[in-house]
Amino acid sequence: MSQDLDTRLQDAVRTRRTFAIISHPDAGKTTLTEKLLLYGGAIHLAGSVKSRRAARHAASDWMKLEQERGISVTSSVMQFEYDGYHINLLDTPGHEDFSEDTYRTLVAADSAVMLLDNRKGVEDRTRQLFSVCKRRRTPIFTFVNKCDRVGVDPLALIGDVESDLGIACHPVTWPIFNDSAFAGVYDRRRRVVFLFDRGEDHGATRAEAQTIDANDQKLRDLMGAESHERLLQDLALLDEAGHPFEHRAVLDGDLSPVFFGSALTNFGVEPFLREFLELAPSPVSRESTTGVVEPTDERFTGFVFKIQANMDARHRDRVAFVRVCSGHFEAGMQVKQVRTGKSLRLPSPQQFLARERTAIEEAWPGDVIGVMDRGGLRIGDTLTDGDDLEFSGIPRFAPEHFARIILAEPMKRKQLDTGLRQLTEEGAAQVFYTSGTETAGPTPIVGAVGMLQFDVMLHRLEHEYGAACRIERISARYPRWVTGPVEEIERLGRDRGRMLLYDAKGNPLILFEDAWGLRWALERETAVQFHDVAP
Ligand code: G4P
């Protein structure tokens, strides 16, 4: 690698931040995303993400589903710049029902922002997504939103987060109230107060802030002596009794820096963004089958974390989203798909602002590129221009809901099989058969991580593959893949309360009707081995 390219690679890695926002629906993720884009100059008027999204909904059947349900089904990637940083924001679906996509997106992120509603604190969906991050030791930053209206006392809220999620917290900013109105935040690292102007435009433009010292008389006058006194006491208490700030602990995922703000009014968004960019990790090194890959390694490496078919209904295309892990990517570059040993040229990678695509010439570690795919790529595939290696740790998830899929017109079986095969490759469905050899035979069974995934499947099977279907739910919902002697597996599958199935690759699994039956089998059936996901 030339000296010049090496310097550019080092610079690119140093200034890249790739993260995802995790939250429960309604905490304000769309609003915060808009505001981050606003500060990043990617859009000029906040609100346009939503309105443009709505305008584009009309464009395809696929998006019609999103519009009907008022939800975002797919994850997209947004890139913007701020203060010399290149930021990749990986968007995860906002609906409370979710699919494996959401989880996999977190694997492509180097850090996560956990967004909380100041009245609700930690909610179900936050907990699920948090646990995925925690398992991977992903650094987690907390943003307490909606502080423009009265919420749970900040100290109590932090206490709840710590006890509920088992992570230590360190407030980096602290909310300041004028009577009960949110007036600004104190930045504990910079030791200044940011006072915001409400403005007349409901947060459509950046909030202007003036910075003053916490002991400034002006602040005392503004807040009133009593509130000001309480603020100083809170700050002293945090210094004495709170977790001290340790950057290493943040990077290890053991300490979450906490910020307070209001995405709607923009209060606290910019101080958050600034501190976050400074504290969040640049692209991290990743484990592979041949050892750790550093982002500054010369060879290009990346992995497919998501495949999306038919993003544009007019073109029936498939886009594979590749997270670049090391090296420099150039348009037209020849790379190897390690799983198949095939060499492929990546002619027109794309970069995304929501769903708008622009062709790009180059990409660096931390970036996500969209590669047009003719069906050869799979989730988890590693691409490289160097020696063979494969990235580990693209998690697979066992479905939690199962259903028989029944064709409206039995003649459409071929279309159904094509559709199911492609949705499986994309990771949008998991399909199972009651016989290990004869896929075209009995009624296929589909599995999903969240119920919404079934709606998406049915919609896509009908509109993209011409196979209108309905589903018939199966009550059994505890799958375990099994390995061991065939006759033992078949015997096991014949017992009551169980169903023997085969996944798309022919691996046998047993579906248990209840948790009790599953536990019983795990304890007693020692002639076979049980696995949570396909071995
Ligand atoms: P989501 O993507 O996490 O589901 O949340 P979204 O941004 O759509 O926000 C959910 C609701 O919360 C919206 O209200 C939004 O305006 C509101 N919200 C977001 N941030 C703040 C904040 O800082 N303060 C307050 N007070 N509200 C906030 P809505 O009435 O459901 O929708 P809309 O009519 O405002 O679009």
Side-chain angles (χ1 to χ4, degrees), residues 234-286:
D234 280 354
L235 294 177
L237 185 71
L238 289 175
D239 284 343
E240 277 160 34
H243 292 281
F245 183 80
E246 275 179 67
H247 198 203
R248 188 67 254 161
V250 174
L251 297 179
D252 288 343
D254 292 327
L255 180 72
S256 180
V258 180
F259 301 82
F260 290 83
S262 154
L264 193 67
T265 57
N266 298 344
F267 285 20
V269 173
E270 198 159 23
F272 157 70
L273 183 58
R274 229 182 260 143
E275 298 281 1
F276 167 73
L277 292 172
E278 212 175 296
L279 299 174
S282 51
V284 292
S285 51
R286 298 204 166 231

Short mmCIF file of all heavy atoms in Angstrom, two decimals, residues 234-286:
data_model
loop_
_atom_site.label_atom_id
_atom_site.label_comp_id
_atom_site.label_asym_id
_atom_site.label_seq_id
_atom_site.Cartn_x
_atom_site.Cartn_y
_atom_site.Cartn_z
N ASP A 234 -26.97 18.40 43.22
CA ASP A 234 -27.03 17.20 42.36
C ASP A 234 -25.67 16.93 41.72
O ASP A 234 -25.19 15.80 41.69
CB ASP A 234 -28.06 17.37 41.23
CG ASP A 234 -29.48 17.13 41.71
OD1 ASP A 234 -29.65 16.72 42.88
OD2 ASP A 234 -30.41 17.36 40.91
N LEU A 235 -25.07 18.00 41.22
CA LEU A 235 -23.79 17.84 40.54
C LEU A 235 -22.71 17.36 41.51
O LEU A 235 -21.89 16.49 41.17
CB LEU A 235 -23.36 19.15 39.87
CG LEU A 235 -24.26 19.61 38.70
CD1 LEU A 235 -23.80 20.96 38.16
CD2 LEU A 235 -24.31 18.57 37.58
N ALA A 236 -22.76 17.90 42.73
CA ALA A 236 -21.77 17.48 43.74
C ALA A 236 -22.00 16.01 44.10
O ALA A 236 -21.05 15.23 44.23
CB ALA A 236 -21.89 18.36 44.98
N LEU A 237 -23.27 15.64 44.20
CA LEU A 237 -23.61 14.25 44.52
C LEU A 237 -23.11 13.30 43.42
O LEU A 237 -22.55 12.24 43.72
CB LEU A 237 -25.13 14.13 44.67
CG LEU A 237 -25.65 12.77 45.12
CD1 LEU A 237 -25.29 12.53 46.57
CD2 LEU A 237 -27.17 12.70 44.95
N LEU A 238 -23.31 13.71 42.18
CA LEU A 238 -22.85 12.87 41.07
C LEU A 238 -21.34 12.69 41.13
O LEU A 238 -20.81 11.61 40.90
CB LEU A 238 -23.23 13.50 39.72
CG LEU A 238 -24.71 13.49 39.34
CD1 LEU A 238 -24.93 14.26 38.04
CD2 LEU A 238 -25.21 12.06 39.20
N ASP A 239 -20.64 13.80 41.43
CA ASP A 239 -19.18 13.72 41.49
C ASP A 239 -18.72 12.78 42.61
O ASP A 239 -17.78 12.02 42.45
CB ASP A 239 -18.57 15.11 41.74
CG ASP A 239 -18.60 15.95 40.47
OD1 ASP A 239 -18.78 15.36 39.39
OD2 ASP A 239 -18.47 17.19 40.57
N GLU A 240 -19.43 12.87 43.74
CA GLU A 240 -18.99 12.07 44.89
C GLU A 240 -19.45 10.62 44.82
O GLU A 240 -18.67 9.70 45.07
CB GLU A 240 -19.57 12.67 46.18
CG GLU A 240 -18.76 13.83 46.71
CD GLU A 240 -19.58 14.67 47.66
OE1 GLU A 240 -20.43 14.10 48.37
OE2 GLU A 240 -19.38 15.91 47.67
N ALA A 241 -20.72 10.43 44.51
CA ALA A 241 -21.29 9.08 44.66
C ALA A 241 -21.47 8.34 43.34
O ALA A 241 -21.67 7.13 43.33
CB ALA A 241 -22.64 9.18 45.37
N GLY A 242 -21.39 9.05 42.23
CA GLY A 242 -21.64 8.38 40.94
C GLY A 242 -20.43 7.60 40.45
O GLY A 242 -19.34 7.69 41.03
N HIS A 243 -20.64 6.80 39.40
CA HIS A 243 -19.51 6.10 38.81
C HIS A 243 -18.58 7.09 38.14
O HIS A 243 -19.04 7.94 37.38
CB HIS A 243 -20.00 5.10 37.75
CG HIS A 243 -20.75 3.96 38.33
ND1 HIS A 243 -20.12 2.90 38.92
CD2 HIS A 243 -22.08 3.72 38.43
CE1 HIS A 243 -21.03 2.05 39.37
NE2 HIS A 243 -22.22 2.52 39.09
N PRO A 244 -17.29 7.01 38.41
CA PRO A 244 -16.37 7.93 37.73
C PRO A 244 -16.30 7.60 36.24
O PRO A 244 -16.61 6.47 35.85
CB PRO A 244 -15.03 7.66 38.41
CG PRO A 244 -15.15 6.29 38.97
CD PRO A 244 -16.61 6.06 39.28
N PHE A 245 -15.94 8.59 35.46
CA PHE A 245 -15.84 8.34 34.03
C PHE A 245 -14.55 7.59 33.70
O PHE A 245 -13.47 8.00 34.10
CB PHE A 245 -15.87 9.67 33.27
CG PHE A 245 -15.84 9.44 31.80
CD1 PHE A 245 -17.00 9.08 31.12
CD2 PHE A 245 -14.65 9.52 31.08
CE1 PHE A 245 -16.98 8.82 29.77
CE2 PHE A 245 -14.62 9.25 29.72
CZ PHE A 245 -15.79 8.90 29.07
N GLU A 246 -14.69 6.50 32.98
CA GLU A 246 -13.50 5.77 32.52
C GLU A 246 -13.72 5.37 31.08
O GLU A 246 -14.61 4.57 30.79
CB GLU A 246 -13.33 4.48 33.32
CG GLU A 246 -12.60 4.60 34.62
CD GLU A 246 -12.55 3.23 35.28
OE1 GLU A 246 -11.88 2.35 34.74
OE2 GLU A 246 -13.25 3.06 36.30
N HIS A 247 -12.93 5.94 30.22
CA HIS A 247 -13.16 5.70 28.79
C HIS A 247 -13.03 4.22 28.45
O HIS A 247 -13.78 3.68 27.64
CB HIS A 247 -12.19 6.55 27.96
CG HIS A 247 -12.63 6.68 26.53
ND1 HIS A 247 -11.78 6.97 25.51
CD2 HIS A 247 -13.85 6.54 25.96
CE1 HIS A 247 -12.47 7.01 24.37
NE2 HIS A 247 -13.72 6.76 24.62
N ARG A 248 -12.06 3.55 29.08
CA ARG A 248 -11.85 2.13 28.82
C ARG A 248 -13.13 1.32 29.12
O ARG A 248 -13.53 0.43 28.37
CB ARG A 248 -10.68 1.63 29.69
CG ARG A 248 -10.16 0.26 29.44
CD ARG A 248 -9.49 0.11 28.11
NE ARG A 248 -10.32 -0.63 27.17
CZ ARG A 248 -10.19 -0.63 25.85
NH1 ARG A 248 -9.25 0.08 25.27
NH2 ARG A 248 -10.97 -1.32 25.08
N ALA A 249 -13.76 1.67 30.25
CA ALA A 249 -14.98 0.96 30.64
C ALA A 249 -16.11 1.20 29.64
O ALA A 249 -16.92 0.31 29.37
CB ALA A 249 -15.41 1.38 32.04
N VAL A 250 -16.13 2.40 29.05
CA VAL A 250 -17.14 2.70 28.02
C VAL A 250 -16.88 1.80 26.81
O VAL A 250 -17.78 1.15 26.28
CB VAL A 250 -17.08 4.18 27.59
CG1 VAL A 250 -18.03 4.44 26.42
CG2 VAL A 250 -17.42 5.09 28.77
N LEU A 251 -15.63 1.76 26.38
CA LEU A 251 -15.29 0.97 25.18
C LEU A 251 -15.50 -0.53 25.39
O LEU A 251 -15.76 -1.26 24.45
CB LEU A 251 -13.84 1.25 24.75
CG LEU A 251 -13.56 2.70 24.35
CD1 LEU A 251 -12.10 2.88 23.95
CD2 LEU A 251 -14.46 3.14 23.20
N ASP A 252 -15.40 -0.97 26.64
CA ASP A 252 -15.62 -2.39 26.94
C ASP A 252 -17.11 -2.71 27.14
O ASP A 252 -17.47 -3.85 27.42
CB ASP A 252 -14.87 -2.79 28.22
CG ASP A 252 -13.37 -2.87 27.98
OD1 ASP A 252 -12.97 -2.91 26.80
OD2 ASP A 252 -12.61 -2.85 28.97
N GLY A 253 -17.95 -1.69 27.06
CA GLY A 253 -19.39 -1.92 27.24
C GLY A 253 -19.80 -2.07 28.69
O GLY A 253 -20.89 -2.54 28.99
N ASP A 254 -18.93 -1.64 29.63
CA ASP A 254 -19.27 -1.77 31.05
C ASP A 254 -19.85 -0.50 31.66
O ASP A 254 -20.42 -0.52 32.75
CB ASP A 254 -18.01 -2.16 31.85
CG ASP A 254 -17.54 -3.56 31.50
OD1 ASP A 254 -18.41 -4.40 31.21
OD2 ASP A 254 -16.32 -3.80 31.49
N LEU A 255 -19.65 0.63 30.99
CA LEU A 255 -20.12 1.91 31.53
C LEU A 255 -20.83 2.67 30.41
O LEU A 255 -20.27 2.83 29.32
CB LEU A 255 -18.92 2.73 32.02
CG LEU A 255 -19.23 4.09 32.64
CD1 LEU A 255 -19.87 3.94 34.02
CD2 LEU A 255 -17.95 4.93 32.75
N SER A 256 -22.06 3.12 30.69
CA SER A 256 -22.79 3.85 29.66
C SER A 256 -22.81 5.35 29.97
O SER A 256 -23.33 5.76 31.01
CB SER A 256 -24.22 3.33 29.55
OG SER A 256 -24.91 4.05 28.56
N PRO A 257 -22.23 6.17 29.09
CA PRO A 257 -22.34 7.62 29.28
C PRO A 257 -23.80 8.02 29.02
O PRO A 257 -24.40 7.54 28.06
CB PRO A 257 -21.43 8.20 28.20
CG PRO A 257 -20.59 7.06 27.71
CD PRO A 257 -21.42 5.84 27.92
N VAL A 258 -24.36 8.86 29.90
CA VAL A 258 -25.78 9.21 29.78
C VAL A 258 -25.93 10.69 29.43
O VAL A 258 -25.20 11.55 29.98
CB VAL A 258 -26.53 8.91 31.10
CG1 VAL A 258 -28.01 9.27 30.98
CG2 VAL A 258 -26.38 7.44 31.47
N PHE A 259 -26.86 10.98 28.54
CA PHE A 259 -27.13 12.34 28.09
C PHE A 259 -28.61 12.63 28.25
O PHE A 259 -29.43 11.73 28.11
CB PHE A 259 -26.74 12.49 26.62
CG PHE A 259 -25.29 12.19 26.36
CD1 PHE A 259 -24.85 10.88 26.20
CD2 PHE A 259 -24.36 13.22 26.29
CE1 PHE A 259 -23.51 10.60 25.98
CE2 PHE A 259 -23.02 12.94 26.07
CZ PHE A 259 -22.59 11.64 25.92
N PHE A 260 -28.92 13.89 28.51
CA PHE A 260 -30.33 14.28 28.61
C PHE A 260 -30.63 15.28 27.51
O PHE A 260 -29.77 16.09 27.14
CB PHE A 260 -30.59 14.92 29.98
CG PHE A 260 -30.53 13.92 31.10
CD1 PHE A 260 -29.30 13.55 31.65
CD2 PHE A 260 -31.69 13.31 31.56
CE1 PHE A 260 -29.23 12.59 32.66
CE2 PHE A 260 -31.63 12.35 32.58
CZ PHE A 260 -30.40 12.00 33.13
N GLY A 261 -31.83 15.22 26.99
CA GLY A 261 -32.18 16.17 25.94
C GLY A 261 -33.59 15.99 25.44
O GLY A 261 -34.39 15.24 26.01
N SER A 262 -33.88 16.72 24.39
CA SER A 262 -35.19 16.64 23.77
C SER A 262 -35.00 16.71 22.27
O SER A 262 -34.61 17.75 21.74
CB SER A 262 -36.06 17.80 24.26
OG SER A 262 -37.04 18.11 23.31
N ALA A 263 -35.25 15.59 21.63
CA ALA A 263 -35.03 15.55 20.17
C ALA A 263 -35.99 16.50 19.47
O ALA A 263 -35.65 17.14 18.49
CB ALA A 263 -35.23 14.12 19.67
N LEU A 264 -37.21 16.61 20.03
CA LEU A 264 -38.22 17.43 19.39
C LEU A 264 -37.80 18.90 19.32
O LEU A 264 -37.95 19.55 18.30
CB LEU A 264 -39.54 17.31 20.17
CG LEU A 264 -40.78 17.86 19.49
CD1 LEU A 264 -41.12 17.03 18.26
CD2 LEU A 264 -41.95 17.86 20.45
N THR A 265 -37.25 19.42 20.43
CA THR A 265 -36.89 20.84 20.45
C THR A 265 -35.40 21.05 20.16
O THR A 265 -34.92 22.18 20.16
CB THR A 265 -37.17 21.44 21.83
OG1 THR A 265 -36.44 20.68 22.80
CG2 THR A 265 -38.64 21.39 22.18
N ASN A 266 -34.67 19.95 19.95
CA ASN A 266 -33.21 19.99 19.68
C ASN A 266 -32.38 20.28 20.93
O ASN A 266 -31.16 20.36 20.84
CB ASN A 266 -32.82 21.05 18.64
CG ASN A 266 -33.44 20.78 17.30
OD1 ASN A 266 -33.91 19.67 17.07
ND2 ASN A 266 -33.45 21.75 16.43
N PHE A 267 -32.99 20.48 22.07
CA PHE A 267 -32.22 20.80 23.27
C PHE A 267 -31.34 19.60 23.64
O PHE A 267 -31.84 18.49 23.81
CB PHE A 267 -33.14 21.09 24.46
CG PHE A 267 -33.82 22.41 24.42
CD1 PHE A 267 -33.96 23.11 23.22
CD2 PHE A 267 -34.32 22.99 25.58
CE1 PHE A 267 -34.60 24.34 23.18
CE2 PHE A 267 -34.96 24.21 25.56
CZ PHE A 267 -35.11 24.89 24.36
N GLY A 268 -30.06 19.86 23.78
CA GLY A 268 -29.16 18.80 24.24
C GLY A 268 -28.69 17.87 23.13
O GLY A 268 -27.87 17.00 23.38
N VAL A 269 -29.20 18.05 21.93
CA VAL A 269 -28.83 17.13 20.85
C VAL A 269 -27.38 17.38 20.41
O VAL A 269 -26.60 16.44 20.24
CB VAL A 269 -29.80 17.24 19.65
CG1 VAL A 269 -29.31 16.42 18.46
CG2 VAL A 269 -31.20 16.78 20.05
N GLU A 270 -27.04 18.65 20.27
CA GLU A 270 -25.69 18.94 19.79
C GLU A 270 -24.60 18.61 20.83
O GLU A 270 -23.61 17.99 20.48
CB GLU A 270 -25.58 20.39 19.31
CG GLU A 270 -24.36 20.58 18.43
CD GLU A 270 -24.46 21.80 17.52
OE1 GLU A 270 -25.23 22.73 17.84
OE2 GLU A 270 -23.75 21.82 16.50
N PRO A 271 -24.79 18.97 22.11
CA PRO A 271 -23.79 18.55 23.10
C PRO A 271 -23.64 17.02 23.13
O PRO A 271 -22.54 16.49 23.25
CB PRO A 271 -24.35 19.05 24.44
CG PRO A 271 -25.24 20.17 24.07
CD PRO A 271 -25.80 19.87 22.71
N PHE A 272 -24.76 16.33 22.96
CA PHE A 272 -24.70 14.86 22.91
C PHE A 272 -23.86 14.41 21.72
O PHE A 272 -22.95 13.60 21.85
CB PHE A 272 -26.12 14.27 22.82
CG PHE A 272 -26.14 12.90 22.23
CD1 PHE A 272 -25.64 11.82 22.95
CD2 PHE A 272 -26.62 12.67 20.94
CE1 PHE A 272 -25.62 10.55 22.40
CE2 PHE A 272 -26.60 11.41 20.39
CZ PHE A 272 -26.10 10.34 21.12
N LEU A 273 -24.18 14.96 20.56
CA LEU A 273 -23.51 14.52 19.34
C LEU A 273 -22.00 14.74 19.46
O LEU A 273 -21.20 13.87 19.13
CB LEU A 273 -24.09 15.28 18.13
CG LEU A 273 -23.54 14.90 16.76
CD1 LEU A 273 -23.76 13.42 16.47
CD2 LEU A 273 -24.22 15.73 15.66
N ARG A 274 -21.65 15.90 19.99
CA ARG A 274 -20.22 16.24 20.10
C ARG A 274 -19.47 15.27 21.03
O ARG A 274 -18.43 14.74 20.68
CB ARG A 274 -20.10 17.67 20.63
CG ARG A 274 -19.16 18.46 19.77
CD ARG A 274 -19.01 19.84 20.31
NE ARG A 274 -19.84 20.76 19.58
CZ ARG A 274 -20.49 21.79 20.12
NH1 ARG A 274 -20.42 22.02 21.41
NH2 ARG A 274 -21.19 22.60 19.36
N GLU A 275 -20.05 15.05 22.20
CA GLU A 275 -19.40 14.16 23.17
C GLU A 275 -19.40 12.72 22.65
O GLU A 275 -18.42 11.99 22.79
CB GLU A 275 -20.12 14.17 24.52
CG GLU A 275 -20.14 15.51 25.22
CD GLU A 275 -18.83 15.81 25.92
OE1 GLU A 275 -17.89 15.00 25.86
OE2 GLU A 275 -18.75 16.89 26.55
N PHE A 276 -20.52 12.34 22.06
CA PHE A 276 -20.64 10.97 21.55
C PHE A 276 -19.54 10.69 20.52
O PHE A 276 -18.87 9.66 20.58
CB PHE A 276 -22.03 10.77 20.94
CG PHE A 276 -22.15 9.51 20.13
CD1 PHE A 276 -22.19 8.27 20.75
CD2 PHE A 276 -22.20 9.57 18.74
CE1 PHE A 276 -22.27 7.11 20.00
CE2 PHE A 276 -22.28 8.41 17.99
CZ PHE A 276 -22.31 7.17 18.62
N LEU A 277 -19.35 11.63 19.59
CA LEU A 277 -18.37 11.40 18.52
C LEU A 277 -16.97 11.27 19.10
O LEU A 277 -16.13 10.51 18.61
CB LEU A 277 -18.44 12.52 17.49
CG LEU A 277 -19.75 12.52 16.68
CD1 LEU A 277 -19.84 13.76 15.81
CD2 LEU A 277 -19.88 11.26 15.83
N GLU A 278 -16.73 12.04 20.17
CA GLU A 278 -15.40 11.99 20.79
C GLU A 278 -15.19 10.67 21.55
O GLU A 278 -14.10 10.11 21.54
CB GLU A 278 -15.30 13.16 21.76
CG GLU A 278 -13.90 13.70 21.89
CD GLU A 278 -13.92 14.93 22.79
OE1 GLU A 278 -14.55 15.94 22.40
OE2 GLU A 278 -13.33 14.87 23.88
N LEU A 279 -16.25 10.19 22.18
CA LEU A 279 -16.10 9.02 23.06
C LEU A 279 -16.37 7.68 22.37
O LEU A 279 -15.90 6.65 22.82
CB LEU A 279 -17.07 9.15 24.24
CG LEU A 279 -16.86 10.37 25.13
CD1 LEU A 279 -17.97 10.45 26.18
CD2 LEU A 279 -15.50 10.31 25.80
N ALA A 280 -17.15 7.70 21.30
CA ALA A 280 -17.52 6.44 20.64
C ALA A 280 -16.30 5.89 19.91
O ALA A 280 -15.43 6.64 19.48
CB ALA A 280 -18.67 6.67 19.67
N PRO A 281 -16.24 4.57 19.78
CA PRO A 281 -15.07 3.97 19.13
C PRO A 281 -15.06 4.20 17.63
O PRO A 281 -16.12 4.27 17.01
CB PRO A 281 -15.23 2.48 19.44
CG PRO A 281 -16.69 2.29 19.63
CD PRO A 281 -17.22 3.56 20.23
N SER A 282 -13.88 4.33 17.07
CA SER A 282 -13.76 4.27 15.62
C SER A 282 -13.92 2.79 15.25
O SER A 282 -13.99 1.94 16.13
CB SER A 282 -12.42 4.84 15.18
OG SER A 282 -11.40 4.24 15.90
N PRO A 283 -13.99 2.45 13.96
CA PRO A 283 -14.22 1.05 13.60
C PRO A 283 -13.33 0.09 14.39
O PRO A 283 -12.11 0.31 14.50
CB PRO A 283 -13.89 1.04 12.11
CG PRO A 283 -14.29 2.40 11.66
CD PRO A 283 -13.91 3.31 12.79
N VAL A 284 -13.96 -0.92 14.94
CA VAL A 284 -13.23 -1.82 15.85
C VAL A 284 -12.63 -3.00 15.09
O VAL A 284 -13.04 -3.31 13.98
CB VAL A 284 -14.17 -2.36 16.96
CG1 VAL A 284 -14.56 -1.24 17.90
CG2 VAL A 284 -15.42 -3.01 16.38
N SER A 285 -11.66 -3.63 15.71
CA SER A 285 -11.08 -4.84 15.11
C SER A 285 -12.11 -5.96 15.24
O SER A 285 -12.96 -5.93 16.12
CB SER A 285 -9.78 -5.20 15.80
OG SER A 285 -9.97 -5.25 17.18
N ARG A 286 -12.04 -6.92 14.33
CA ARG A 286 -13.05 -7.99 14.33
C ARG A 286 -12.40 -9.36 14.27
O ARG A 286 -11.40 -9.54 13.59
CB ARG A 286 -13.98 -7.81 13.15
CG ARG A 286 -14.72 -6.49 13.27
CD ARG A 286 -16.01 -6.44 12.56
NE ARG A 286 -16.75 -5.27 13.03
CZ ARG A 286 -17.99 -5.29 13.46
NH1 ARG A 286 -18.66 -6.42 13.47
NH2 ARG A 286 -18.60 -4.19 13.87
#
